[in-house]
Amino acid sequence: MNEPFADLPATGAPPDAPVPGFAVTKIQPPQARASLIARANLEHRLGAALASRRLTLVCAPAGFGKTAALTRQLGQLSADTTLAWIGADVDDDLHRFLRCLFAALEPYDLPWRVAPDALVSAAVNSRDARREVAAAVLNTFAGSEQSRGLVIIDDAHRIADPAVFEFLDLMLDRLPAHWGLVVSSRFDPPLALARLRALDELAEFRQAELRFARDEVVALLAASDARADAGQLLRRTAGWAAGLRLAVNAVRHGHANLAEARRVDRHVFDYLAAEVLDGMDEELREFLLGCSVLPELTASRCAAVTGNERAAHLLDEIERLGLFVSVIDAPEPTLMLNDLFRDCLAEQLQRTRPDCLPALLRRAADTEPDAIRRLSFLLRAGDWADAEALLVDVAEALLADGAVEPVLRLVDQFPRERIESSPTIAFIRGQAAWAQWDWRAMAASMTRARHGFAAVGDASRTRRARVFELIALCGDGDIDESNSGLAALDLEQAEPETRALARALTAWNAISAGDFRAVAPRYADALDILERIDGLHVWYQCFQRPLYVWFPGMREPIARFVDGVRRRTGDSPSQMQAIAWVMEAWLALWRGDIDTARVRVAHARDASRWLGEPNRIRMFVNCLLATLHAIAGERDAALDAVDRLIGYFEHAPVSGTGTQPTSMLAHYLYFGARLADTLGDGESLRSFASRVPPRARIKNIELLDAPLATLDARLATLERRWPDACATWSRALDDEAAIDVAGLAQEARLRLAFALLALERPADAAATLTPLLDRGLDDDDLGGVLLAGGAVLDVLAARDWGDALPAGGVSRLRRWARLSARCRRAGNTPVAAGTDRLSARELQVLERIAAGDSNKLIARALDLSPHTVKRHVANILDKLSVGSRREAAAWHAEHAAAPATGAARPSP
């Protein structure tokens, strides 16, 4: 026989398989036990509630058979019922809850319009975001074609995060009629129960409804082949399911103490369960005690935790004895202990073998595929070092998903003294602060992390913390300190990820300092390192300034960036993929290829919609759209995009530094004024210029100082104060490098020449244009020329320059004017690509939908990933303006003989 809790290694490597977001058993309902007796009255009422009520609440203390009642009912649901079962854990927050919900719904091919993963990321950010996510889920539910949909949350009392119930209330408020929510809990959940009662949309099953009646006790005794007085048993247990179960087992196995118990309640249950344990075979008892730390029991995990190689046999024995377990339908036979029985076992384990508990918990962690549960095991075991190491990986994944609050909640599970002393935790808190743009909190945390790592001789992490600390200084406007810190940092021995971030930081510092011509070579240095790193996470971290395209010399680095992202993302939609589409659109726009720019930005918008339009991507897309529409002469569309950009920063919350984001607000107000000038819209130009914050309130003023000074020149031109316009444009060009951003230096020369011609100074105008024309601008770098606007270019191209300009220069001016006119003509044609017609690939997917194929079958047939199929389905529903797969199939049947215009266009 194996010794109890054999001397196995207390710790070990986690499983080699990729760590899922949660244990899959959380979304698998327990099997209804064959030994359960029929309870006709309860089952009739419960079945009717599940079929019709918006909320069904099964609420009673432990042991009243809540889960058993629900699982028995599941077998009676119609075959086309959509069922999402979630077994709640104490570690469940909103982020984890939604991951479970969407995974449980995955098999049903619901018509998602936004990627479920993106909804998970967005929901944790704010109450407003939760409302938007709830609306997206409700729209998806409304478009589902099943006759009934149910979301069942078992053991909801374990959930401590109020955001989960806030989200559920939002769902309940407008849940479609063919969907219902079912909540099983030991006490009332914090939901709007009174309102639902008043609407007759709440069905409640409490102790009175769940208690066994006399005829049911008789049936239970008969089914169990136990001889006892049913009336006496009912009086002693008061119909309590757990007490009845224990009593019947005791009668069958001859336990005399039960007969002497006048009433079987929770305290008597603990006493009698302990007596049952004492009467067991020693091997089985020790095995059960050791396994009590596990949330689910499988032979492999139980053997690893207890060291007993006969685990499979013992689990069969536990199930045969009916020892308060449920069976879960999983690839490996899985049992789940009843909470009451588990609590009893845990109390005995803590009382009789407290020294064994840490080792058992560490072994449980070693075999746990759910990273959050594994972290909980390590924390309970007091294994702080391994818990911190795991937290690093978990936090990185969560932060990449935009989930800051869940990371901070995990940190708070550590003891306070550990939080204050651990450099690893300080580093994680610093990364969380970065995700919130809280530069001062980030700097403080990274400083603590750096000192802590240095104290233990960890040079690698000391350097990395220092780079993040310097990034925070840059973000907070302390460019000199950031630069001096970088200069003093020895990066020769640093890891590639650290060196890439440091090189990217040199480019960010150059931008903030207004040293625009240094940006391209510095970012190229970062790319030299990034291109040797396979993962995308560091690429994302190194791309914190999305308007790189505006700086001189950035065309080649941007092309390298796009290629690197494409190689690492494939066809999987992601924020980086959307950014790559926008960057390609910028490059096309900057060479005057407005048609290609429209196609690329349409792809970016499709990707952005599927990702839930995260703020960063939304701003990036709107910035491009505003510029594209302005160059195309589309005033309303351009100003609408600018207003969306400005509105975000005018209403942005106060940051961690205690100030409004006035630098970004000033940037986009200036940007709006510039585009208004391109459009010849004097009223909007004045409006934007008047709202620019005072210079003293703008951080990193070096970045904006020279461009902002050109506003006076634009206003003077608008008011035909030509001498003033000439003087201010000339001053701007005195330091041309300071305005060599987004083609402003090109535009300044063209506008100065235009003002000089208004003063009949053609020779001075020609002298102003000559450096620009002699430079032989590459046809791929004409953004600043196009932003000068058609009116300016037309005047310069139509001028008879005589001998003042060489023929080649005049020819170039005329070519630019023709290009501007072509862009404006393109602006008068409808936008088609990616918005109001289907691509060839989308038509293929639509044909499969019409044939009744599931997403899985479509993915297999077209050699696509399931994520890509879901994205195509969302695009199809959007473009056809339909709400469900059935409606899309009907559209296909109607239009199959006449494909949509442009359907032959190859998919990206």
Side-chain angles (χ1 to χ4, degrees):
M1 181 191 303
N2 290 290
E3 290 297 318
F5 313 150
D7 189 18
L8 298 177
T11 61
D16 292 333
V19 177
F22 54 88
V24 293
T25 50
K26 282 176 60 63
I27 59 173
Q28 293 170 328
Q31 296 177 3
R33 294 195 300 272
S35 61
L36 290 178
I37 64 165
R39 303 184 64 191
N41 184 49
L42 173 63
E43 290 170 10
H44 174 74
R45 291 192 57 223
L46 185 56
L50 296 183
S52 62
R53 296 302 178 91
R54 194 183 307 183
L55 174 62
T56 300
L57 176 62
V58 184
C59 185
F64 267 88
K66 299 182 292 295
T67 302
L70 288 173
T71 54
R72 182 173 172 86
Q73 200 63 43
L74 297 185
Q76 302 176 35
L77 297 174
S78 63
D80 65 341
T81 299
T82 296
L83 175 66
W85 176 282
I86 302 170
D89 278 338
V90 292
D91 300 311
D92 288 346
D93 54 19
L94 180 59
H95 184 272
R96 186 170 161 89
F97 172 82
L98 289 177
R99 282 213 173 280
C100 292
L101 173 62
F102 297 151
L105 293 169
E106 176 68 23
Y108 299 101
D109 289 343
L110 299 185
W112 297 106
R113 311 300 273 271
V114 177
D117 286 348
L119 296 176
V120 173
S121 302
V124 299
N125 291 329
S126 67
R127 288 188 172 182
D128 287 342
R130 281 193 280 283
R131 287 191 186 92
E132 293 179 8
V133 170
V137 176
L138 289 167
N139 288 337
T140 299
F141 282 6
S144 65
E145 296 163 0
Q146 291 82 358
S147 63
R148 182 66 171 164
L150 291 173
V151 175
I152 300 180
I153 306 168
D154 194 29
D155 292 329
H157 54 271
R158 294 176 175 173
I159 300 174
D161 184 5
V164 173
F165 296 103
E166 180 187 331
F167 180 82
L168 292 176
D169 256 338
L170 291 170
M171 295 285 293
L172 285 166
D173 193 42
R174 293 188 293 115
L175 198 63
H178 64 300
W179 279 80
L181 174 66
V182 184
V183 176
S184 164
S185 177
R186 292 184 184 177
F187 45 77
D188 279 0
L191 298 171
L193 301 180
R195 181 173 58 82
L196 291 169
R197 277 193 202 100
L199 295 171
D200 197 26
E201 288 287 359
L202 171 63
E204 299 177 77
F205 296 84
R206 299 182 179 275
Q207 295 182 46
E209 290 78 17
L210 295 171
R211 292 185 193 279
F212 273 64
R214 190 179 190 286
D215 60 327
E216 292 170 336
V217 176
V218 170
L220 178 62
L221 287 168
S224 306
D225 195 22
R227 295 176 179 240
D229 185 302
Q232 185 182 52
L233 200 58
L234 181 62
R235 286 192 299 274
R236 288 175 175 169
T237 61
W240 181 41
L244 281 167
R245 182 76 176 278
L246 184 61
V248 169
N249 281 346
V251 168
R252 290 176 59 202
H253 296 289
H255 290 287
N257 279 344
L258 178 64
E260 299 171 4
R262 295 187 176 181
R263 183 174 182 83
V264 179
D265 57 15
R266 172 62 190 268
H267 300 294
V268 175
F269 179 95
D270 290 345
Y271 169 73
L272 294 174
E275 184 168 282
V276 169
L277 284 173
D278 290 341
M280 280 183 186
D281 172 85
E282 180 183 358
E283 181 190 21
L284 183 58
R285 181 177 64 251
E286 297 297 335
F287 179 78
L288 263 174
L289 288 172
C291 292
S292 67
V293 300
L294 294 171
E296 297 95 20
L297 310 185
T298 64
S300 57
R301 293 196 69 188
C302 290
V305 169
T306 66
N308 194 320
E309 297 175 357
R310 289 176 9 97
H313 169 76
L314 293 172
L315 288 176
D316 287 343
E317 180 68 6
I318 290 169
E319 186 178 2
R320 185 186 67 80
L321 293 173
L323 289 176
F324 297 94
V325 293
S326 301
V327 180
I328 296 176
D329 186 12
E332 183 180 5
T334 304
L335 301 181
M336 180 179 291
L337 293 171
N338 174 277
D339 283 350
L340 277 174
F341 194 45
R342 183 194 308 282
D343 291 346
C344 176
L345 292 170
E347 189 278 330
Q348 279 227 2
L349 180 64
Q350 180 66 47
R351 180 167 49 81
T352 62
R353 297 164 181 79
D355 294 341
C356 295
L357 186 56
L360 289 169
L361 290 167
R362 283 192 290 269
R363 294 175 199 162
D366 293 344
T367 61
E368 176 57 65
D370 182 329
I372 302 297
R373 283 184 177 176
R374 193 187 319 151
L375 181 62
S376 180
F377 281 131
L378 293 172
L379 289 170
R380 288 171 59 197
D383 192 342
W384 313 125
D386 281 358
E388 287 178 5
L390 177 58
L391 180 62
V392 170
D393 294 335
V394 171
E396 182 174 296
L398 288 172
L399 291 174
D401 207 23
V404 178
E405 290 302 321
V407 171
L408 298 178
R409 273 194 291 272
L410 291 175
V411 167
D412 285 342
Q413 292 182 24
F414 286 77
R416 179 52 50 186
E417 60 273 14
R418 189 77 187 187
I419 294 173
E420 297 302 326
S421 63
S422 166
T424 299
I425 292 178
F427 186 85
I428 291 168
R429 294 174 82 179
Q431 288 186 309
W434 188 14
Q436 296 175 315
W437 292 357
D438 190 342
W439 304 116
R440 294 179 187 175
M442 177 184 176
S445 292
M446 289 302 177
T447 300
R448 286 198 302 274
R450 174 168 59 88
H451 290 315
F453 290 140
V456 296
D458 190 336
S460 172
R461 292 204 286 178
T462 299
R463 284 189 296 266
R464 190 161 178 79
R466 179 57 171 163
V467 169
F468 279 107
E469 183 183 359
L470 298 175
I471 289 171
L473 292 175
C474 169
D476 201 32
D478 198 344
I479 308 305
D480 291 340
E481 181 66 25
S482 182
N483 275 326
S484 63
L486 276 173
L489 196 58
D490 180 10
L491 294 171
E492 290 299 320
Q493 303 301 316
E495 294 72 14
E497 292 82 359
T498 301
R499 286 189 288 116
L501 273 171
R503 296 301 182 202
L505 177 57
T506 64
W508 305 339
N509 283 341
I511 294 171
S512 296
D515 188 5
F516 304 133
R517 292 176 179 174
V519 175
R522 294 183 182 183
Y523 197 70
D525 288 345
L527 282 166
D528 289 341
I529 304 170
L530 284 172
E531 286 168 341
R532 298 194 293 272
I533 299 174
D534 291 333
L536 200 59
H537 180 64
V538 181
W539 282 71
Y540 183 81
Q541 286 185 324
C542 289
F543 194 78
Q544 294 296 314
R545 299 294 180 94
L547 298 181
Y548 281 127
V549 70
W550 283 7
F551 301 108
M554 280 298 293
R555 187 184 62 202
E556 181 181 348
I558 286 172
R560 289 171 61 189
F561 169 84
V562 170
D563 180 67
V565 170
R566 290 266 184 268
R567 290 174 184 273
R568 287 160 179 80
T569 59
D571 67 353
S572 299
S574 66
Q575 289 198 34
M576 290 302 285
Q577 186 192 63
I579 288 172
W581 282 121
V582 178
M583 297 301 274
E584 285 192 310
W586 274 115
L587 293 175
L589 183 61
W590 236 232
R591 62 178 180 266
D593 186 354
I594 200 164
D595 290 333
T596 299
R598 284 187 187 278
V599 172
R600 297 294 183 264
V601 77
H603 294 326
R605 294 182 78 179
D606 285 345
S608 179
R609 278 194 297 269
W610 179 241
L611 296 170
E613 296 192 291
N615 283 332
R616 188 174 186 224
I617 306 302
R618 188 185 310 173
M619 287 187 286
F620 201 12
V621 168
N622 280 323
C623 190
L624 170 63
L625 285 173
T627 309
L628 187 155
H629 289 311
I631 288 174
E634 299 166 329
R635 175 190 176 279
D636 291 346
L639 296 182
D640 182 59
V642 172
D643 285 342
R644 287 195 295 271
L645 289 165
I646 292 172
Y648 177 80
F649 289 102
E650 280 187 327
H651 303 103
V654 174
S655 71
T657 60
T659 60
Q660 293 288 344
T662 50
S663 296
M664 294 304 295
L665 176 60
H667 168 82
Y668 284 115
L669 285 168
Y670 161 75
F671 176 65
R674 185 179 180 188
L675 295 186
D677 206 6
T678 300
L679 291 160
D681 183 349
E683 181 180 352
S684 296
L685 169 57
R686 286 192 181 93
S687 173
F688 288 130
S690 68
R691 291 154 60 193
V692 173
R695 186 179 186 278
R697 291 181 53 205
I698 301 174
K699 284 193 172 186
N700 300 350
I701 187 62
E702 296 84 359
L703 170 62
L704 285 175
D705 211 9
L708 283 174
T710 67
L711 289 178
D712 289 340
R714 297 179 190 278
L715 292 169
T717 301
L718 175 65
E719 295 160 4
R720 298 181 176 276
R721 293 183 284 109
W722 300 116
D724 291 342
C726 290
T728 47
W729 281 121
S730 295
R731 282 197 298 273
L733 286 165
D734 286 344
D735 186 4
E736 193 166 344
I739 61 168
D740 198 4
V741 55
L744 182 56
Q746 303 167 11
E747 182 192 0
R749 289 195 173 277
L750 293 167
R751 289 193 179 278
L752 175 56
F754 177 80
L756 288 167
L757 288 181
L759 291 175
E760 295 298 331
R761 294 167 55 184
D764 291 335
T768 297
L769 290 172
T770 296
L772 179 62
L773 298 173
D774 286 351
R775 197 179 302 158
L777 281 180
D778 194 309
D779 284 346
D780 286 345
D781 190 22
L782 298 178
V785 171
L786 296 172
L787 284 170
V792 169
L793 291 172
D794 288 346
V795 167
L796 296 178
R799 180 76 182 191
D800 182 2
W801 293 96
D803 295 333
L805 285 178
V810 174
S811 176
R812 186 168 288 118
L813 281 174
R814 290 172 180 168
R815 188 168 72 250
W816 292 347
R818 289 195 298 273
L819 177 61
S820 175
R822 189 160 63 247
C823 289
R824 296 196 299 279
R825 284 196 300 275
N828 293 321
T829 60
V831 178
T835 56
D836 65 356
R837 64 180 182 178
L838 302 181
S839 70
R841 176 66 84 191
E842 288 163 353
L843 275 177
Q844 290 177 321
V845 174
L846 178 58
E847 289 168 1
R848 294 282 177 171
I849 291 173
D853 285 358
S854 67
N855 285 353
K856 186 179 293 186
L857 290 176
I858 296 172
R860 190 177 304 153
L862 301 181
D863 194 24
L864 298 172
S865 72
H867 273 295
T868 300
V869 173
K870 282 197 288 189
R871 179 166 56 94
H872 283 315
V873 172
N875 286 343
I876 290 167
L877 298 181
D878 281 336
K879 293 175 184 181
L880 300 183
S881 298
V882 298
S884 68
R885 296 168 76 97
R886 183 181 292 125
E887 291 176 9
W891 186 98
H892 178 269
E894 181 180 348
H895 296 83
T901 303
R905 181 171 62 84
S907 67

